[in-house]
Amino acid sequence: MSVSKLKFKGDKPKKKKRTHREVDDNDDEAALALADPKGWVFPTDVAHIAGPSFVLLPTEPLTCLAWDPQRQRVYAAPVDVPLAPEGAADLSPNEILQAVEPSDVNHVWVVARLSGSEDVVSLRSSSGTFLTAHPSGTLSASNPSRGPLESLTPDLFTPSSSSSSSSSSPFPSLTLKTHAETYLSAPPASALEATSGSKRPGAELRGDAEVPGAAERFWVKCQREFVWRAKGGGEKRRKEDEAGGVEDEMRRNREAQTWGAGRALVSTADRKALKKAAKDGRYAEAMLDRRAALKSDKFAK
């Protein structure tokens, strides 16, 4: 005979807490952005290209756009190709594109958009200088400020919309148009060897290609956190921050200074004042002023 829990007259039935919740389409992407914010992914839209970026060139073997601060030159640097698992076949080109990541800080360029023009970007090197496409077609990155020669217009091509030979890749490719209406290009190794006798693949990068082709289509990988923010994933968190949802002052107020059923509200002006006080070294004084202002008892001052 099973023993049941005693019930008394007048007891209200307890509602069971639901364990399931509605799953948002962006939950998985948000979880990945929080778990691995530094992971490298392919953006699927020009507006999502932001932050630290890894520009891969269509050379054989695979190279990337790099900056040599010692020799003051822009060049195609070889990338570290990941090894295939033991007992497995060699990685395919698409698998290499998916797995490759920058191994040197000079292989990373920070994408920044010019104010007033969301379509125009600039590439900042690890030393704080910007990629420059000169009218002669040469590339450099020694200018510490941005100007027309540092302006680049990216155009993204998805595999479905691409019809060239580079469309065999399942990842989006892009072209970079300069201020002179020409394109950045990475000539194939055979073309370079025929013209200059160089044995290094992609040893010379140019910025004077008139028509975009296979040599002008690059791949770009950005860090997952910045792509997620560019998609609007960080907008909700930003609004929560402006409302004071994650501020340390909220926690302190709930612990010792709240009133009215534990409500604590922090305005945007108060948040800015606290940040300014922390920057000026007056954070403790500002917190005491806030405590006196938030107290419901007028004699607490």
Side-chain angles (χ1 to χ4, degrees):
M1 182 177 178
S2 60
V3 180
S4 60
K5 188 177 180 181
L6 292 175
K7 295 181 180 180
F8 299 94
K9 186 178 180 180
D11 286 350
K12 294 182 179 180
K14 292 184 178 180
K15 294 183 179 180
K16 293 185 178 180
K17 198 176 285 185
R18 296 187 177 184
T19 57
H20 66 278
R21 63 181 178 88
E22 294 183 1
V23 179
D24 191 5
D25 295 338
N26 297 326
D27 280 354
D28 294 340
E29 189 173 358
L32 284 174
L34 294 175
D36 185 20
K38 304 302 181 183
W40 296 89
V41 296
F42 289 96
T44 56
D45 191 273
V46 172
H48 302 162
I49 301 175
S53 302
F54 186 36
V55 182
L56 297 168
L57 307 176
T59 57
E60 184 62 37
L62 189 66
T63 57
C64 67
L65 184 67
W67 165 244
D68 188 349
Q70 280 73 33
R71 296 180 176 86
Q72 293 287 302
R73 68 186 183 102
V74 177
Y75 70 106
V79 298
D80 293 339
V81 178
L83 299 176
E86 187 176 355
D90 293 339
L91 297 178
S92 65
N94 291 336
E95 291 174 336
I96 293 175
L97 280 175
Q98 179 68 40
V100 71
E101 293 184 356
S103 57
D104 193 325
V105 68
N106 294 317
H107 297 174
V108 178
W109 301 80
V110 178
V111 175
R113 280 173 166 76
L114 299 176
S115 58
S117 178
E118 294 298 323
D119 297 333
V120 180
V121 302
S122 61
L123 298 180
R124 189 173 73 244
S125 68
S126 58
S127 56
T129 54
F130 293 89
L131 180 68
T132 305
H134 299 279
S136 61
T138 58
L139 300 179
S140 66
S142 56
N143 196 348
S145 60
R146 292 182 291 189
L149 297 181
E150 289 73 33
S151 302
L152 299 171
T153 304
D155 193 5
L156 201 67
F157 297 89
T158 58
S160 59
S161 62
S162 177
S163 58
S164 66
S165 59
S166 63
S167 61
S168 58
S169 172
F171 308 111
S173 60
L174 85 160
T175 58
L176 293 173
K177 184 189 294 185
T178 67
H179 180 69
E181 299 295 326
T182 57
Y183 296 88
L184 268 61
S185 64
S190 57
L192 289 172
E193 292 173 4
T195 56
S196 62
S198 174
K199 300 298 182 181
R200 295 178 298 171
E204 183 183 1
L205 300 176
R206 303 288 300 175
D208 54 0
E210 297 181 355
V211 179
E216 288 72 38
R217 294 200 174 186
F218 306 155
W219 297 280
V220 60
K221 300 180 78 171
C222 302
Q223 288 187 342
R224 182 178 285 109
E225 178 184 10
F226 291 89
V227 174
W228 180 65
R229 287 180 182 177
K231 289 182 178 180
E235 185 68 16
K236 182 178 179 182
R237 184 184 298 177
R238 184 186 66 81
K239 290 181 179 179
E240 290 178 353
D241 290 347
E242 289 182 355
V246 294
E247 193 67 30
D248 183 57
E249 183 185 359
M250 296 287 289
R251 179 181 58 82
R252 297 186 182 183
N253 288 347
R254 288 194 180 97
E255 288 178 355
Q257 301 179 16
T258 54
W259 74 95
R263 290 181 299 170
L265 302 177
V266 182
S267 64
T268 304
D270 291 335
R271 284 172 50 81
K272 290 182 179 179
L274 284 176
K275 288 182 180 180
K276 187 177 185 302
K279 192 177 294 185
D280 298 339
R282 301 183 296 101
Y283 185 76
E285 180 183 352
M287 286 298 296
L288 287 174
D289 294 340
R290 287 286 300 157
R291 182 180 184 277
L294 288 173
K295 275 290 185 179
S296 59
D297 188 357
K298 63 180 181 181
F299 300 105
K301 298 180 180 181

